[in-house]
Amino acid sequence: MQLHEHYQHAIKQKNVLLEFARHARQSNLILCSIKKDNHDNETNNALAVALLHANCPSIMQEIPLGRVVFEVEQAQCKSAVLRADIATLRAQLTYPFEE
């Protein structure tokens, strides 16, 4: 199975990171945040890595360090579910800040 397939299989039971982010937001906890105007690929990759590590940790550990970025980008390209979860996680972590 490819990485995106492992992810889709793992989240059928529960998407642990999204659940955690929802509960944190409901409890008004800010554990980390994303600026509203930050929509770059690095942020998407970081959110994808977090989702993949939370839901398929053993698979992510098997990927050689030099291939992680490639595999994560491929998983995003191949999985609409992962892209939707990235958007959901982004929404959960985006807070308006006054500077």
Side-chain angles (χ1 to χ4, degrees):
M1 268 197 291
Q2 292 184 336
L3 181 56
H4 72 281
E5 294 169 321
H6 282 285
Y7 177 79
Q8 289 174 223
H9 178 73
I11 64 167
K12 285 182 182 177
Q13 295 174 10
K14 183 185 260 191
N15 191 325
V16 293
L17 189 57
L18 286 184
E19 282 293 313
F20 178 73
R22 279 190 201 101
H23 291 297
R25 181 126 188 178
Q26 289 170 354
S27 301
N28 204 27
L29 296 174
I30 299 175
L31 303 171
C32 62
S33 61
I34 299 172
K35 287 186 176 181
K36 271 189 164 181
D37 60 350
N38 191 352
H39 293 284
D40 63 359
N41 283 341
E42 279 186 37
T43 303
N44 284 347
N45 285 349
L47 295 172
V49 167
L51 285 163
L52 291 163
H53 268 291
N55 291 290
C56 357
S58 60
I59 301 302
M60 289 298 289
Q61 287 178 340
E62 292 176 9
I63 299 172
L65 197 55
R67 288 195 52 88
V68 170
V69 172
F70 174 77
E71 294 294 338
V72 168
E73 288 174 347
Q74 287 299 303
Q76 290 178 74
C77 288
K78 294 178 180 179
S79 176
V81 173
L82 179 57
R83 289 190 305 272
D85 287 349
I86 290 168
T88 300
L89 184 57
R90 176 185 293 281
Q92 295 293 329
L93 298 177
T94 301
Y95 288 86
F97 285 100
E98 294 180 21
E99 295 185 20

